[in-house]
Amino acid sequence: AQPTPPVPAAETSKKTVRDMVAEYLATKPTPEAMLAKGKELAASGELGGAFLVWRRAAEAGNVQAQLEVAGFFDPLAQPKGGFTPDGPRAADWYERAALAGLAEAQRRYGLLLAKGGAGLNPDQAKAKSWLAAGGCAERRRRQEGAGKLRQGSHGQSPRNANQRFAQAGGTDVQGQPGGSGSGGRTNA
């Protein structure tokens, strides 16, 4: 009897992406950890694995993962990982994230509703509502970020800085003590 040749180690340790993802998910990672793992898999070109991990995080309520999963089905987006565009599925995932207040999901959901596609009929009224909601949420986010940038070195807002300047004997930006306006210039 002939002995069986040994199987090379590389072949025995070769696991499918599905197996690697199953092992990872068996460790019961948090939705935030799954989001990060999905990004890592996507960056390495493993879009199928990224989808599986993001879908689990999305099902656990992670809104950013819901946005990622929707993108795999979105007929208006660049095709990902061989997924067939599916408008109703994309709309379902976008809506979940949009209802949670994610501005980008509100915007993409609105665009998808406006144009429709891949089995989803356009709905202009709903589209307009979601596009407006997404725009408002995005403006709010930018304003909050800009407000932090405008804080002075002592954590004071510009208005408080004007008041301090006026109290020190100067005038505010409108030329009035304690108000705000044109940079302390006077009209001649």
Side-chain angles (χ1 to χ4, degrees):
Q2 291 240 3
T4 329
V7 177
E11 287 182 29
T12 57
S13 65
K14 188 88 169 168
K15 295 179 183 173
T16 67
V17 171
R18 196 173 283 277
D19 290 338
M20 290 186 297
V21 168
E23 285 178 8
Y24 171 73
L25 294 175
T27 67
K28 300 189 185 324
T30 65
E32 293 74 23
M34 288 186 272
L35 181 66
K37 182 67 170 179
K39 288 180 181 180
E40 177 186 310
L41 288 166
S44 69
E46 292 289 350
L47 292 178
F51 173 80
L52 293 171
V53 173
W54 280 332
R55 185 180 64 194
R56 181 68 63 91
E59 290 167 348
N62 185 289
V63 294
Q64 190 63 45
Q66 291 169 347
L67 180 68
E68 295 291 348
V69 170
F72 279 88
F73 298 110
D74 190 341
L76 305 178
Q78 195 78 329
K80 288 184 183 179
F83 279 73
T84 302
D86 186 330
R89 273 188 166 169
D92 178 55
W93 285 110
Y94 281 143
E95 184 178 30
R96 292 179 195 202
L99 288 170
L102 190 62
E104 182 62 13
Q106 292 169 343
R107 186 185 72 76
R108 289 188 193 178
Y109 185 42
L111 289 172
L112 182 58
L113 289 169
K115 296 184 179 185
L120 182 72
N121 293 324
D123 184 335
Q124 297 304 315
K126 266 179 98 172
K128 187 175 181 180
S129 172
W130 280 110
L131 287 168
C136 289
E138 181 61 22
R139 277 191 299 282
R140 222 178 8 262
R141 186 189 63 75
R142 276 192 253 137
Q143 286 170 347
E144 288 169 0
K148 289 177 186 174
L149 291 175
R150 287 192 300 260
Q151 295 290 321
S153 61
H154 299 290
Q156 299 292 325
S157 70
R159 180 167 177 80
N160 290 342
N162 282 335
Q163 289 171 342
R164 284 193 324 275
F165 182 69
Q167 289 168 352
T171 58
D172 74 350
V173 290
Q174 285 183 338
Q176 302 292 323
S180 62
S182 66
R185 287 173 264 143
T186 58
N187 294 334

